[in-house]
Amino acid sequence: TQLLEQSPQFLSIQEGENLTVYCNSSSVFSSLQWYRQEPGEGPVLLVTVVTGGEVKKLKRLTFQFGDARKDSSLHITAAQPGDTGLYLCAGNTGTASKLTFGTGTRLQVTL
Amino acid sequence: AAGVIQSPRHLIKEKRETATLKCYPIPRHDTVYWYQQGPGQDPQFLISFYEKMQSDKGSIPDRFSAQQFSDYHSELNMSSLELGDSALYFCASSLTGTGVAGGPTGELFFGEGSRLTVL
C-alpha cells in the first residue's frame, strides 16, 4: 500500500504558467520533505515542513503542509524550463528511520 | 562540501551473477540508507544503518544483504541477480537529530546513484 499519493503523475506546461502538485496520505507524518530528481541523478532536497499549516517559500516555489500533517502541496509560479524534473514528496512517521517516498510527479516545462 | 559518493556509477552483470555497490556517506553523518528506483518509479526503501547497526528494513530481497563498516561506508551485496534487479540504486546519508524540528530523521542527502543493468 502506497502511503503517499501524488497528483498529477505527469504535467506538461509552458514556460510562465503556474502549477500545483499535491501529496496526500491517510497517515500523519512528523515531517514531510520535497525532493526534485533529474534523470540519472539522485533526489535533491528542496524543503522540509514539520508544523501543520506551515508554509515555506523557496523563490518561485511555495510549499504547504496540511493542518493535520497528512498532506502537502507544492506550488510553482511562472514555471521555467529549469523546473523540469521529477518531484517527490517523502514522509517520515517519526517512529522509523526511513523516508517513504510518494509516487512522484513528472513535470516538463517547455518554451 | 563533500557529498555522498557511490561506486560504481554503472554496472552491467549477467543473470545469476553477484554485484556489490559501495556508498561513502557525508562525513559525520551517522545514518545510511539504500533505495532502489526502477524505471519510471519512485525510490523504494531497502535498508538503513545507524551507527553501523541495521536500523530499519524495507522491501529488500533475501538475495540482497548490506552492512556498514567501521569507517561508516556501506556496501550493498546482491546475489543471484535477476533481470528485475536492473535499477538505479541510491545511497543517502543523514545526521540523526538534525531534522528541522530536531526529529529522528535529518534531511537525507543522496548520492548520484549506481545504475545496475542485468542482462
Side-chain angles (χ1 to χ4, degrees):
Chain A
T1 302
Q2 182 59 262
L3 288 180
L4 284 163
E5 295 284 344
Q6 286 185 236
S7 62
Q9 290 186 42
F10 301 96
L11 193 55
S12 181
I13 61 173
Q14 290 191 314
E15 183 181 20
E17 292 185 26
N18 302 331
L19 67 118
T20 302
V21 176
Y22 299 93
C23 175
N24 295 294
S25 174
S26 58
S27 302
V28 176
F29 292 96
S30 59
S31 67
L32 193 140
Q33 300 173 5
W34 284 91
Y35 290 81
R36 188 175 81 191
Q37 183 180 21
E38 299 194 24
E41 298 184 8
V44 175
L45 179 68
L46 297 175
V47 78
T48 299
V49 287
V50 294
T51 306
E54 181 178 6
V55 177
K56 279 191 174 179
K57 291 192 175 183
L58 184 67
K59 296 183 181 178
R60 295 177 293 101
L61 278 60
T62 302
F63 304 85
Q64 185 164 8
F65 203 12
D67 291 340
R69 290 186 289 137
K70 292 182 178 181
D71 54 85
S72 181
S73 65
L74 157 61
H75 182 79
I76 301 179
T77 303
Q80 299 177 0
D83 296 328
T84 294
L86 176 65
Y87 288 81
L88 295 158
C89 63
N92 175 264
T93 61
T95 59
S97 63
K98 68 179 187 294
L99 280 182
T100 298
F101 280 88
T103 48
T105 295
R106 195 167 298 278
L107 171 66
Q108 182 171 23
V109 182
T110 56
L111 294 171
Chain B
V4 176
I5 298 174
Q6 290 187 245
S7 67
R9 291 294 312 279
H10 302 274
L11 191 59
I12 300 175
K13 290 285 185 178
E14 305 235 337
K15 282 195 304 183
R16 292 181 288 276
E17 285 192 323
T18 298
T20 297
L21 306 181
K22 295 185 179 182
C23 170
Y24 296 84
I26 292 174
R28 292 186 295 281
H29 278 195
D30 55 18
T31 307
V32 168
Y33 312 78
W34 285 98
Y35 282 84
Q36 178 193 57
Q37 187 175 29
Q41 299 180 3
D42 55 283
Q44 295 294 313
F45 172 74
L46 293 177
I47 195 167
S48 63
F49 293 87
Y50 169 70
E51 286 290 343
K52 293 161 280 186
M53 299 285 290
Q54 181 182 308
S55 56
D56 211 341
K57 196 171 181 180
S59 52
I60 183 169
D62 292 339
R63 299 177 289 107
F64 292 9
S65 65
Q67 56 181 326
Q68 188 177 28
F69 295 86
S70 57
D71 64 351
Y72 288 90
H73 94 273
S74 178
E75 294 185 2
L76 177 66
N77 298 293
M78 299 173 283
S79 63
S80 302
L81 288 170
E82 302 174 357
L83 296 178
D85 296 329
S86 295
L88 265 173
Y89 290 83
F90 289 105
C91 172
S93 72
S94 70
L95 181 59
T96 302
T98 60
V100 173
T105 300
E107 283 82 357
L108 268 62
F109 293 86
F110 284 81
E112 293 187 317
S114 294
R115 183 177 293 279
L116 171 66
T117 302
V118 181
L119 302 176

